[in-house]
Amino acid sequence: MESASNATPMLESAALLIGGAFVVVSLSVRLGVPAILGFLLTGLVLGPHVLGLLQEEGAALDALGELGVILLMFSLGLTFSWTKLVELRRLIFGIGGAQVGITAVIVALGANLLLDVSWPIAILLGAAIAMSSTALSIKQLEASGALGHAQGRTSIAILLFQDLATVGFLVLIDALQTASATGHGVEKGFFNALGLFAALILARKILIPLAQWIERSSNNELPQLLALFLVLSTAVGAHYAGLSPALGAFIAGMLISEGDARNVVEREVRPFRDLLLGIFFVSLGAQMDITILDQSFGSVLAWLAVIVVLKAAILAAILYLADTDAEVSAKVALILAHAGEFSLLLVSLSVGAGLLDNALAQPFLLAIGISLFVAPFLISLSARENLVPQSLCKMRRNQGR
């Protein structure tokens, strides 16, 4: 009876969490707002800083949320086919690389000079600002019918590079954490990542025939078991190698993205990913302390200006200098003028690894959350015609001649 009574508070919290998320996400969908914002708002309202109804379940939420991140990174790896990367290499690696690199460097310079943080941490802050939400952007572009237009194609290419760059920043976090904990150099983390990559290449020779056999079978449970075993075993292997489990899951997904195993695994992972990823965003929402607005309003506003205004200006300038139409440049800048789920991930992992001070992270997390709420309106604004004065567009066309 005692164990049953101990389980009751957890069951009550689970019912409260799922019920609250259902109500808030339903309202979000009804209003045309992405579900990610509903999950964040659920965590914010039910968390310790507002109603305080999820105070004792933080560890459980974090554990389930980590599984959601692992499945997200695995699914991301499945989307990175080498064919797609080669086909869009100019936009992805040219424009996308310039956007992430220049934004991260400019923000890192400012953070190092104004906030007196070390260069590695400053770079991670810049990287978090350089990211935008792939899920939110694609959903809004689909809703506005702009996905197939020039601004939609360019935005997707930049988002692809941002997603790919996230992996490199995860390696940096792992390397910095390893160096801090063991005293080994940062390069040890990169060598561990290469070692895991090599091990998974060898395992791929066994995985592909196994997936082909499972696909031919009529058993419904085997694909689910294979998918979850692959994701979790890779995450555990990465952990023992001193790396982020999410990084290991990404590498595993990328290695099977071109084979038959992808068809078997992808459809089985998605339901688990969507549910657990929602819990991850709930846990992040619960971490956002809106009570600090009284004393940190200026900091939150400054971070929000950097995320929305400075980031959009940098991207518009990069596109314009790359001979992109002025109207398209302005539209893409508005579409990506927000932070994303990987921004939240990089900040939360940096705090968890002891690299980023929580006092600095809290205003930053709030600014990221606010930018996500603002993003749908900015993307809707990008759908308008004649955002840029026609005189500027004509000047660009004349220069092109």
Side-chain angles (χ1 to χ4, degrees), residues 92-181:
I92 294 175
F93 296 102
I95 304 297
Q99 185 269 328
V100 171
I102 294 173
T103 303
V105 168
I106 290 176
V107 173
L109 282 169
N112 179 260
L113 293 174
L114 300 177
L115 301 178
D116 195 28
V117 297
S118 64
W119 275 110
I121 304 305
I123 291 173
L124 287 175
L125 291 173
I129 286 177
M131 303 300 154
S132 304
S133 174
T134 302
L136 189 152
S137 299
I138 291 177
K139 184 178 180 64
Q140 293 299 118
L141 287 170
E142 284 179 338
S144 63
L147 203 55
H149 296 171
Q151 64 267 27
R153 291 192 298 271
T154 304
S155 298
I156 295 304
I158 294 172
L159 287 165
L160 278 173
F161 186 85
Q162 289 179 1
D163 293 345
L164 187 60
T166 301
V167 181
F169 294 120
L170 285 176
V171 173
L172 177 60
I173 291 174
D174 289 335
L176 291 172
Q177 185 179 18
T178 300
S180 176

Side-chain angles (χ1 to χ4, degrees), residues 9-214:
M10 179 62 73
L11 291 175
E12 291 175 350
S13 298
L16 178 65
L17 172 62
I18 299 299
F22 177 78
V23 172
V24 177
V25 173
S26 297
L27 289 174
S28 301
V29 172
R30 180 74 175 174
L31 296 172
V33 177
I36 178 179
L37 302 184
F39 285 118
L40 285 171
L41 190 58
T42 300
L44 180 65
V45 172
L46 298 181
H49 305 297
V50 181
L51 296 181
L53 299 177
L54 295 177
Q55 292 190 44
E56 299 179 0
E57 286 73 30
L61 281 179
D62 291 343
L64 291 173
E66 184 179 8
L67 284 176
V69 172
I70 288 170
L71 292 173
L72 171 66
M73 294 302 295
F74 179 76
S75 300
L76 178 62
L78 290 175
T79 66
F80 272 96
S81 67
W82 296 112
T83 304
K84 182 186 294 184
L85 293 179
V86 172
E87 181 182 345
L88 298 174
R89 60 187 180 277
R90 178 187 172 273
L91 283 176
I92 294 175
F93 296 102
I95 304 297
Q99 185 269 328
V100 171
I102 294 173
T103 303
V105 168
I106 290 176
V107 173
L109 282 169
N112 179 260
L113 293 174
L114 300 177
L115 301 178
D116 195 28
V117 297
S118 64
W119 275 110
I121 304 305
I123 291 173
L124 287 175
L125 291 173
I129 286 177
M131 303 300 154
S132 304
S133 174
T134 302
L136 189 152
S137 299
I138 291 177
K139 184 178 180 64
Q140 293 299 118
L141 287 170
E142 284 179 338
S144 63
L147 203 55
H149 296 171
Q151 64 267 27
R153 291 192 298 271
T154 304
S155 298
I156 295 304
I158 294 172
L159 287 165
L160 278 173
F161 186 85
Q162 289 179 1
D163 293 345
L164 187 60
T166 301
V167 181
F169 294 120
L170 285 176
V171 173
L172 177 60
I173 291 174
D174 289 335
L176 291 172
Q177 185 179 18
T178 300
S180 176
T182 65
H184 293 296
V186 172
E187 67 276 2
K188 181 176 175 59
F190 291 95
F191 285 127
N192 287 345
L194 290 176
L196 179 64
F197 188 81
L200 288 172
I201 288 178
L202 295 176
R204 187 171 183 265
K205 296 182 180 297
I206 302 173
L207 175 66
I208 290 179
L210 179 61
Q212 291 172 342
W213 173 74
I214 289 176

Side-chain angles (χ1 to χ4, degrees), residues 244-326:
S244 165
L247 175 60
F250 173 83
I251 296 174
M254 189 174 65
L255 286 176
I256 66 171
S257 63
E258 300 284 358
D260 295 331
R262 173 184 176 178
N263 300 324
V264 178
V265 171
E266 187 174 21
R267 65 174 178 265
E268 303 300 338
V269 165
R270 188 178 298 113
F272 298 100
R273 180 201 66 192
D274 292 343
L275 175 61
L276 294 174
L277 195 59
I279 294 176
F280 168 71
F281 287 119
V282 169
S283 69
L284 284 177
Q287 294 173 29
M288 294 182 183
D289 185 3
I290 61 172
T291 62
I292 69 168
L293 279 175
D294 288 341
Q295 64 268 26
S296 302
F297 181 77
S299 297
V300 174
L301 194 62
W303 280 121
L304 186 61
V306 172
I307 293 171
V308 176
V309 180
L310 178 62
K311 179 179 174 179
I314 292 172
L315 180 53
I318 291 171
L319 288 167
Y320 192 74
L321 292 174
D323 292 331
T324 305
D325 180 78

